[in-house]
Amino acid sequence: MKVVVDTMMWVSFSTFPHGFRGRLIEAALERRVRFFVSQYQLDEFVNTLLEHFELSRRFANNSRQTLEILAKSVPLPSRIPRFVERDPKDDAIVQTAVSAKADYLVTADQEILKLKKVGNVEIITAAEFARRLGWSPV
């Protein structure tokens, strides 16, 4: 199974590993799910940790290195098509999943979820991803 999770899933994994999202990613890794990220996501991830969570640069860089180990990087085309009408910043996340030929894009972003499917990529919530993995947090 090939999966792209949105940046906030990775932020949750790094900052609150014992929470639902952190444990879900761990469960997926145990089930040999293959995760993919783009350079855009890696940069957004670090910026979110630094600017929104006010964590140290060292923590952000270490977290990025961990993410680079856990997820394979995929290149994005120089021109990213429009996917998300109301938030063009999210187009790169959708394109990451398309470029990775992912089975799923896992997100909590309502604008991305509205797409439901782009090409062969099904867009689902973390709860739905957990169900498809056969994983329960309890």
Side-chain angles (χ1 to χ4, degrees), residues 19-76:
F20 174 76
R21 292 175 179 176
R23 291 176 29 225
L24 175 57
I25 289 175
E26 281 294 333
L29 289 166
E30 288 171 8
R31 288 165 173 78
R32 301 197 187 273
V33 167
R34 293 181 294 161
F35 286 106
F36 295 84
V37 295
S38 61
Q39 188 65 44
Y40 173 87
Q41 270 191 292
L42 291 168
D43 292 343
E44 183 180 56
F45 172 70
V46 169
N47 288 338
T48 300
L49 292 176
L50 293 173
E51 295 171 15
H52 298 285
F53 287 79
E54 298 179 351
L55 295 167
S56 71
R57 181 157 301 280
R58 180 184 176 123
F59 180 88
N61 288 336
N62 287 343
S63 295
R64 179 188 177 122
Q65 287 176 344
T66 299
L67 181 49
E68 289 173 324
I69 291 167
L70 297 177
K72 180 178 166 106
S73 183
V74 294
L76 297 181

Side-chain angles (χ1 to χ4, degrees), residues 8-131:
M8 288 310 296
M9 288 275 295
W10 288 119
V11 168
S12 294
F13 174 77
S14 295
T15 59
F16 193 54
H18 300 295
F20 174 76
R21 292 175 179 176
R23 291 176 29 225
L24 175 57
I25 289 175
E26 281 294 333
L29 289 166
E30 288 171 8
R31 288 165 173 78
R32 301 197 187 273
V33 167
R34 293 181 294 161
F35 286 106
F36 295 84
V37 295
S38 61
Q39 188 65 44
Y40 173 87
Q41 270 191 292
L42 291 168
D43 292 343
E44 183 180 56
F45 172 70
V46 169
N47 288 338
T48 300
L49 292 176
L50 293 173
E51 295 171 15
H52 298 285
F53 287 79
E54 298 179 351
L55 295 167
S56 71
R57 181 157 301 280
R58 180 184 176 123
F59 180 88
N61 288 336
N62 287 343
S63 295
R64 179 188 177 122
Q65 287 176 344
T66 299
L67 181 49
E68 289 173 324
I69 291 167
L70 297 177
K72 180 178 166 106
S73 183
V74 294
L76 297 181
S78 56
R79 291 197 62 196
I80 296 173
R82 290 296 308 268
F83 296 106
V84 185
E85 183 82 21
R86 299 181 102 182
D87 193 355
K89 293 182 307 182
D90 289 335
D91 292 337
I93 304 297
V94 176
Q95 184 62 53
T96 300
V98 170
S99 293
K101 297 182 175 129
D103 299 302
Y104 302 109
L105 169 55
V106 181
T107 185
D109 186 297
Q110 292 302 310
E111 293 303 315
I112 297 175
L113 284 166
K114 285 179 186 176
L115 298 173
K116 296 185 183 182
K117 194 167 188 175
V118 174
N120 292 325
V121 179
E122 193 172 349
I123 302 169
I124 61 175
T125 64
E128 180 59 28
F129 181 51
R131 281 192 286 282

